[in-house]
Amino acid sequence: MNSRKVVYLFFSTLLVGSISGAIVGFILDFHVYTEGSFLNLFFGLLWLLGICAAFSLISQMGFFAYLTLHRFGLALFRSQKLWNYVQVILVAFVIFDLIYFRFVAFAEPGETIFGFMVMPILLLIYGLVIAYLKAKGTNQGAFIPALFFIVVVTTIEWVPALTVNDPKWLWLYFTPLITANTWQVLTLHRLTKQES
């Protein structure tokens, strides 16, 4: 992949993450940004674009870290099949962690674990859809790595917001991460013009 394509991937991911996060952030705090003067709206949107750009940069670091980890995993286990099993186990472990540990840390008295299952299960379903699209666009061998990246790497990048457990920050942080990660996964093979 030449430098022009790398630059395109960088800036397009930055744009996708920034805009998606700014839209969600604007909707979440609509009354804050629309009350007062035009400058309040302007600087509010500018702040949203900036903070969401920072989150999409985290997404890009995670993406290139995963590409390195994937190569390391293939070399370590000497078999794509074995490395895929390891990734599936890690996906299951992360989904369990998202449910159980968040329940233990943040559940109010009388609250059941079922409320904490919604978000991780939706993330898993979303990951399965994106992995299917990736495999359809490249080959079946790309399914597990794409699922792992969408579920596990996105969750790792999302940890700062998960530890705070503020619904507004959960969504403001999550939106640029998931859109940027999705964009990178579904764009890379188009840029390299080869099956991955």
Side-chain angles (χ1 to χ4, degrees):
M1 194 160 82
N2 62 36
S3 59
R4 184 178 59 81
K5 291 178 180 178
V6 171
V7 169
Y8 169 78
L9 184 62
F10 173 80
F11 283 108
S12 63
T13 303
L14 194 66
L15 194 63
V16 165
S18 300
I19 292 173
S20 64
I23 290 169
V24 169
F26 182 74
I27 292 168
L28 289 173
D29 274 338
F30 180 77
H31 66 283
V32 172
Y33 298 113
T34 54
E35 66 185 21
S37 67
F38 172 75
L39 285 178
N40 180 57
L41 175 65
F42 176 76
F43 286 114
L45 288 175
L46 196 62
W47 179 84
L48 281 172
L49 286 168
I51 196 77
C52 292
F55 298 151
S56 69
L57 287 174
I58 292 168
S59 162
Q60 293 187 53
M61 288 188 290
F63 184 63
F64 288 104
Y66 174 68
L67 292 177
T68 304
L69 174 69
H70 182 64
R71 290 293 161 203
F72 179 75
L74 288 172
L76 179 67
F77 293 102
R78 298 176 188 261
S79 160
Q80 182 166 353
K81 194 172 183 181
L82 183 57
W83 172 229
N84 282 346
Y85 286 139
V86 170
Q87 290 181 96
V88 168
I89 290 167
L90 290 172
V91 167
F93 182 74
V94 165
I95 294 297
F96 172 80
D97 282 358
L98 274 174
I99 296 169
Y100 181 73
F101 289 122
R102 289 192 71 243
F103 172 71
V104 169
F106 301 116
E108 300 291 330
E111 197 172 6
T112 66
I113 198 168
F114 295 108
F116 290 87
M117 294 174 71
V118 174
M119 184 180 59
I121 290 172
L122 289 176
L123 178 60
L124 179 62
I125 291 168
Y126 182 81
L128 289 167
V129 170
I130 297 305
Y132 169 77
L133 294 174
K134 176 69 173 182
K136 189 177 177 185
T138 57
N139 60 60
Q140 289 304 312
F143 184 87
I144 298 299
L147 176 65
F148 180 89
F149 178 71
I150 291 294
V151 174
V152 176
V153 177
T154 300
T155 301
I156 291 169
E157 295 164 348
W158 199 20
V159 163
L162 289 170
T163 56
V164 173
N165 200 43
D166 177 351
K168 183 180 82 171
W169 277 101
L170 281 173
W171 285 108
L172 187 61
Y173 208 118
F174 179 72
T175 305
L177 289 178
I178 199 69
T179 54
N181 283 344
T182 301
W183 174 257
Q184 290 173 108
V185 163
L186 297 179
T187 302
L188 183 64
H189 64 273
R190 294 186 181 102
L191 292 177
T192 56
K193 301 290 188 202
Q194 64 185 30
E195 294 188 345
S196 54

